[in-house]
Amino acid sequence: MNILIIGNGGREYAIALKLKSEKNVSNLYFAPGNGATSKLGKNLKVKDYHELANFAKENNIDLTIVGPEAPLSEGVVDIFKEYGLLIFGPSKSAARLEGSKAFMKDFLARNGIKTAKYLNTDDFDRASKFIDSLNVPIVVKADGLCAGKGVIIAKTKEEAKSSAKEMLSGESFGDAGKCVVVEEFLDGFELSFFAICDGENFVSLPVAQDHKRLLDNDEGPNTGGMGAYAPSPLATTKLIKQVEEEVVKPTLKGMKSEGYPFCGVLFVGLMVVNDEPYVLEFNVRFGDPECEVLMPLIDGNLSEILLNAAKGELKEVKLKNEFAVGVVMASKNYPYSSTPKAKIEVLKVPQNSHIAYAGVSEENGEIYADGGRVLVCVGVAKSIKEARDRAYELCENVKFQGSQYRKDIAWQMLGKDKK
Ligand code: AMP
Ligand code: GLY
């Protein structure tokens, strides 16, 4: 198979690394890819999705996999389908589950799926009245895509009101904040639940836990995610069943009956409160860094799984009986500002560990840290502790100037005693 992967992060690298190990995969292409994906396949530079679809036609691409949310929300799947190409990911209409928080919240309400009490509005007075009816803390979210930054957890009603006002005026997030969602704060623990869907049927993947804050002990600013592990024992068999029955099934049924069946990865961001799963958000793609720990746990053939899903003929997925831990190494100024390039040196890659490259560029065959989340060190083992130890052993062997990483990934299972 010839496969095209859209995206340039560690998630796309991790997908490619898994595909690369499969006998039936011949060529991999990336649009645009990063400085390390060029070692796994060919990076493409194209100006738009039509040019990319033409490339796919001319180069006999059998399957296209979309990594990030932006191309999905921009309708890349619809365009590829117009060209008669097979592509794994939701249509533009279905991608609204992530692209519009207002759409997502109303969809949950229409379909009887548990979520935090909320109000969607573009009117400040209504937002203000609703804020007065809630207890603090209060959550205020911009409606549109804000790269994970459009969520304010306000400690006072005044702060909630001023955040809503700034968003509605377009000051904070431009058009993405012209409609806001105000919601009650849910106090529990978060899980990342993934289901591969073909429009009607689904298979669940191991449940992961992300670490969104920059610093140890969940302190510092929110980031795209500083590390993940899977499967999380916090997701009991009972909880998984409950999410499948009460969230995933009604979502697929509702999306189909409303006219936009969901094909792709349904990533349910859950808050578990007193053993009950509430949907915090939907994403319509693999999480990053969750994908980096999920890929090594898939025993079956990923190319076949995603091809069948794209055709609407999803089959079972075999999983390994192992754990994976991924530790993100970020550049010095992440998540505040850019960082000058720095050469990456890998002294040693211990057994059962590997690197998923993200924010990197290539020059004369050398790989450079190029800002943001640079790479993920992944360890795989029969226990979370061993997997964590392997991931950190690898981190100690990866050197670049200004690197930073959390030392407590998987603390929820291993306790706060740091490595
Ligand atoms: P979102 O982009 O909606 O996932 O929000 C980003 C982060 O904000 C989540 O991962 C949670 O940590 C937090 N968050 C969002 N909504 C709520 C809520 N209703 N209650 C508590 N925390 C929340
Ligand atoms: N790690 C969270 C996300 O990908 O949205």
Side-chain angles (χ1 to χ4, degrees), residues 12-24:
E12 290 75 26
Y13 186 95
I15 292 170
L17 200 62
K18 167 76 179 141
L19 293 173
K20 194 85 189 151
S21 71
E22 298 177 0
K23 281 200 203 76
N24 58 332

Side-chain angles (χ1 to χ4, degrees), residues 287-394:
D288 192 349
E290 289 95 328
C291 187
E292 288 87 321
V293 296
L294 291 179
M295 288 302 118
L297 300 176
I298 295 179
D299 205 11
N301 193 307
L302 184 69
S303 46
E304 292 294 333
I305 295 167
L306 301 188
L307 184 79
N308 288 334
K311 287 182 181 163
E313 299 165 5
L314 187 63
K315 303 203 174 69
E316 65 155 359
V317 174
K318 284 204 197 92
L319 298 170
K320 290 185 187 155
N321 190 16
E322 287 184 317
F323 295 88
V325 174
V327 179
V328 171
M329 295 183 79
S331 55
K332 184 167 156 234
N333 301 329
Y334 181 72
Y336 302 105
S337 59
S338 60
T339 309
K341 275 191 195 181
K343 192 163 143 188
I344 301 174
E345 272 186 281
V346 181
L347 307 180
K348 183 178 105 183
V349 178
Q351 256 202 332
N352 294 312
S353 72
H354 66 267
I355 299 173
Y357 287 96
V360 296
S361 57
E362 192 237 78
E363 256 172 58
N364 304 321
E366 309 270 18
I367 299 205
Y368 286 77
D370 209 356
R373 292 185 291 170
V374 173
L375 53 85
V376 187
C377 291
V378 181
V380 181
K382 289 279 175 211
S383 73
I384 297 181
K385 182 174 182 313
E386 243 181 306
R388 193 243 346 228
D389 291 348
R390 282 180 181 156
Y392 278 112
E393 191 186 343
L394 180 53

Side-chain angles (χ1 to χ4, degrees), residues 11 69 98 192 210 212 223-225 267 281 283 285-290 373:
R11 164 182 48 209
E69 61 273 27
E98 173 166 3
S192 302
D210 188 10
K212 289 208 166 110
T223 69
F267 166 0
E281 62 166 347
N283 297 302
R285 49 162 178 94
F286 281 116
D288 192 349
E290 289 95 328
R373 292 185 291 170

Side-chain angles (χ1 to χ4, degrees), residues 134-138 154-158 185:
L134 296 175
N135 295 324
V136 289
I138 294 167
K155 293 199 182 67
T156 64
K157 294 192 176 180
E158 290 66 41
F185 179 80

Side-chain angles (χ1 to χ4, degrees), residues 21-230:
S21 71
E22 298 177 0
K23 281 200 203 76
N24 58 332
V25 175
S26 2
N27 294 302
L28 289 177
Y29 297 90
F30 301 88
N34 63 39
T37 56
S38 51
K39 300 201 176 193
L40 302 176
K42 190 170 176 346
N43 287 354
L44 307 173
K45 274 204 188 94
V46 290
K47 71 171 190 312
D48 60 28
Y49 299 134
H50 289 280
E51 191 180 329
L52 193 58
N54 274 318
F55 173 89
K57 275 244 143 205
E58 282 159 18
N59 290 274
N60 304 317
I61 299 292
D62 300 292
L63 175 69
T64 299
I65 300 166
V66 191
E69 61 273 27
L72 295 165
S73 293
E74 287 159 10
V76 69
V77 169
D78 309 65
I79 293 172
F80 268 55
K81 284 191 174 159
E82 279 168 30
Y83 283 73
L85 291 159
L86 262 181
I87 181 161
F88 177 72
S91 65
K92 183 173 180 167
S93 302
R96 284 178 299 164
L97 277 184
E98 173 166 3
S100 166
K101 289 196 192 296
F103 171 83
M104 178 270 288
K105 292 293 285 194
D106 290 343
F107 176 86
L108 293 175
R110 275 200 297 285
N111 290 281
I113 300 168
K114 274 207 286 289
T115 186
K117 204 161 83 182
Y118 76 103
L119 174 81
N120 285 338
T121 185
D122 58 3
D123 177 68
F124 177 69
D125 290 337
R126 291 193 63 212
S128 182
K129 275 206 190 87
F130 188 67
I131 287 169
D132 281 330
S133 76
L134 296 175
N135 295 324
V136 289
I138 294 167
V139 185
V140 184
K141 301 181 178 183
D143 172 47
L145 290 177
C146 301
K149 299 187 186 89
V151 177
I152 305 287
I153 299 185
K155 293 199 182 67
T156 64
K157 294 192 176 180
E158 290 66 41
E159 191 193 342
K161 287 180 191 175
S162 67
S163 305
K165 193 165 217 155
E166 273 172 34
M167 284 186 196
L168 289 169
S169 72
E171 236 173 84
S172 328
F173 302 108
D175 283 348
K178 291 262 168 95
C179 176
V180 295
V181 179
V182 179
E183 64 181 40
E184 69 175 333
F185 179 80
L186 295 175
D187 194 6
F189 64 86
E190 286 184 61
L191 291 173
S192 302
F193 189 101
F194 296 90
I196 295 182
C197 309
D198 71 356
E200 199 157 341
N201 302 301
F202 70 95
V203 285
S204 306
L205 295 180
V207 180
Q209 235 183 348
D210 188 10
H211 299 65
K212 289 208 166 110
R213 307 289 284 271
L214 181 70
L215 305 172
D216 286 5
N217 300 317
D218 288 340
E219 285 170 6
N222 253 325
T223 69
M226 293 301 290
Y229 72 95

